Each structure stands twice: as structure tokens, then as C-alpha cells.
Amino acid sequence: MLQHDEAFVETSALFFPFDLFGSAGAGAGADLLADAFHEMLADNKHERKATRARSYDSSVRMRRLPLETLRDYQHWHKRACHLVRSVLHKERFLLWVTGNHLGVLPFYEEVARLGPKTLVVQLDAHLDIYNLSDCTDELSHGNFLLHCPQPLPPIINCGTRELLLRPDYIREYYQATFPASEIAVDPRPALRQVRRASAAAERVFLDIDCDVFDPAYFPAVTHPLPFGLSPHQVLAILDAAWSDRVVGVAFSEFDPGRDRNDQSLATLVWLLEYLLLKRYEPAHTRKN
Ligand SMILES: [Mn+2]
């Protein structure tokens, strides 16, 4: 094991455009983000003036994991688990950018292996434990947590718009949930609990499903749900969760075919760079 100050210095940004069994089109989102991320890193390299990007640009390695052949799809799950595990094993900070939310299942499975002191702060409009009559029992992007080997890691959801599932059922899978409607009235209980749980955890992972945003701010999702979080509320939650114990962030459900003037793309690229700065810039020089 590396010492803490040596660990998680490098970032592996992995782009895995998986979008079977729901939100077809979100795979193109992972590809587009890979292009934009690559361009951002290339621009940093070409810039001659010292910019804030110098804090992270030599520490970030990106890799695209194409899904092109039948064989790629046959082994998608095993391959993704292997990749996530190898990044965590090497104690690198993990950016896992995938298509639909099901593409985050390997991330949960590998995080679950780290034990109960590892926390997941999930930003998602849905609680992906759907078992209702019109839902498939087969693995899908709406029920993948049911297929994750139990016990799940402790999960705190912020931003759900769930109106059907009963609280006792939800409690079997989630440590806590803070619906967007509660956050709208008073965000303080959610921020307090996220801050407290993150401070007590050994490691923290963030799982950002883009449908957590209100569609007014982020139109590019396959299943937009109204009354979502604003980008400002998302920033406040990320801030509450943040510390140097955050060692991985997943992004999913960006469907660029539904974007408006690249509004959603710009939101994600900004957020990716913001998180890298948060991770790498010395705190005393940071202005946001
Ligand atoms: Mn969702």
C-alpha cells in the first residue's frame, strides 16, 4: 500500500461508451465527452502561458475503451470490472465516463469490495432498484443495483424524483435519500448528512447520473424528469462531499442527440475540469 500522500496522485480517465438495455444514445455521449476531454488536454499542452491547468495536466491519463465488436459486448462486464479494479488497485484517481447508468455497475461492484467504510454519494433522478410490474427482471439501467452483489456499499442519493417506491423498500438499498423536492425547500439536511458521512468514510466515490439536473439546465438526457437540481445545488452537494478521500467520480446518461446548443456538453466539460482543479490545485490558491 502506498502512503496516503503518494496515493491517488495520478488520474485515470476512462471513457466506456456502454448503452445497451436503456438510454441508447448515451454511448455517443461518452464518446463526445472523450473528444472534448482530449481537446481540453491538448489545448493545455499548447498553451504557453502558465494557467491553472498546469496543476493537473501532467497527472491525467485518458483512455478510450471502444465497444465495437460483438466480442467487446460479450465481455463488457468482465472487462469493465477488470479496468476499474486495476485503477483502484494502483491507487489512481478514477474518472469513469460511461453511456447509460448500467455502465456504472462495474464501478459499484468494485467499490463494494472495498468494504462498508467506502461511501457512494449518488446524484440521480432515479433510484435504480425498480421492481414494478412494467419493469424487466433482466438487468437494465433501471434495476442494476438489484443485480450488484450484496451488500452494496453505503449509498446516499441526492436529487431523486421518485414518487412510487415505498420508503421501507428504499431503505434496504440506500443509507439515505434526499429527494430534489426536499432539497428545494431546504438543502441544509442533505448537505449536513453528506458532509458528515463523507468525513467519516475512508473513501468516497461520486456517481453523477446527468438526469439529476433539471432538464431546463441539462436537456441532453433520454428520460428527462422535471423538478430536478440546479447546477448550483449540484455544486453545493459536491462541495459537501469533497475531500482528498474522494477517489473516483462516475458520469453517465449524457445523450447528446437531445442537447441544445451544446449546453449540456459545456456543463459536463466545465464540471470535469472543475473537479480536476479541485483535486490538484493547492487549496490556498483555489478561488472556487
Ligand atoms: Mn437516472
Side-chain angles (χ1 to χ4, degrees):
M1 278 298 237
L2 298 171
Q3 293 301 309
H4 191 68
D5 56 356
E6 294 173 52
F8 301 103
V9 173
E10 302 255 307
T11 287
S12 288
L14 305 182
F15 295 83
F16 185 62
F18 183 87
D19 66 359
L20 291 186
F21 317 117
S23 303
D31 283 333
L32 183 59
L33 272 177
D35 291 343
F37 195 79
H38 183 264
E39 195 177 320
M40 182 182 90
L41 297 182
D43 286 349
N44 292 342
K45 278 208 169 55
H46 292 133
E47 178 55 61
R48 301 236 180 108
K49 292 265 167 57
T51 69
R52 295 170 64 190
R54 289 209 178 158
S55 62
Y56 68 78
D57 64 0
S58 60
S59 305
V60 179
R61 306 275 174 275
M62 75 168 282
R63 190 168 158 201
R64 296 168 190 260
L65 312 163
L67 283 161
E68 283 161 359
T69 65
L70 209 50
R71 198 179 146 72
D72 291 341
Y73 279 102
Q74 268 171 340
H75 301 288
W76 76 271
H77 180 245
K78 218 166 123 188
R79 183 171 161 230
C81 285
H82 173 75
L83 286 158
V84 171
R85 196 179 317 145
S86 76
V87 170
L88 297 181
H89 186 70
K90 289 176 192 155
E91 302 208 314
R92 291 186 179 155
F93 187 81
L94 172 63
L95 280 177
W96 180 252
V97 181
T98 184
N100 67 25
H101 208 180
L102 173 54
V104 187
L105 173 64
F107 181 90
Y108 275 83
E109 287 174 320
E110 296 307 318
V111 168
R113 288 166 180 268
L114 301 174
K117 289 191 173 167
T118 302
L119 175 73
V120 178
V121 177
Q122 179 195 70
L123 288 88
D124 187 358
H126 308 95
L127 303 172
D128 290 327
I129 52 172
Y130 289 99
N131 62 354
L132 305 175
S133 314
D134 65 344
C135 298
T136 176
D137 290 335
E138 306 279 310
L139 180 61
S140 85
H141 70 146
N143 69 11
F144 76 89
L145 288 177
L146 301 177
H147 290 264
C148 192
Q150 310 292 322
L152 287 168
I155 307 171
I156 298 179
N157 171 285
C158 294
T160 171
R161 269 90 95 200
E162 176 50 45
L163 297 173
L164 291 176
L165 298 176
R166 292 162 59 97
D168 50 347
Y169 175 65
I170 293 170
R171 269 196 299 273
E172 289 177 35
Y173 299 95
Y174 285 85
Q175 180 175 307
T177 55
F178 293 96
S181 54
E182 283 180 19
I183 294 172
V185 175
D186 183 1
R188 286 172 297 182
L191 296 177
R192 206 161 34 232
Q193 184 152 346
V194 167
R195 205 176 292 281
R196 207 175 282 159
S198 295
E202 275 176 8
R203 287 175 183 171
V204 179
F205 289 84
L206 307 176
D207 173 20
I208 302 172
D209 177 327
C210 294
D211 62 32
V212 76
F213 288 108
D214 190 275
Y217 298 99
F218 198 105
V221 294
T222 317
H223 307 285
L225 278 176
F227 299 98
L229 298 188
S230 70
H232 319 91
Q233 290 169 322
V234 169
L235 282 182
I237 293 162
L238 295 178
D239 182 70
W242 198 264
S243 74
D244 62 1
R245 290 185 306 284
V246 174
V247 292
V249 185
F251 286 91
S252 61
E253 297 283 350
F254 169 42
D255 182 349
R258 294 161 195 264
D259 208 354
R260 253 192 332 251
N261 302 325
D262 288 338
Q263 178 187 1
S264 313
L265 174 65
T267 301
L268 289 179
V269 172
W270 189 93
L271 198 51
L272 279 165
E273 187 159 30
Y274 170 78
L275 291 177
L276 286 175
L277 289 170
K278 223 167 162 51
R279 174 86 197 148
Y280 285 99
E281 257 187 339
H284 64 275
T285 64
R286 210 161 48 224
K287 287 279 186 269
N288 58 28

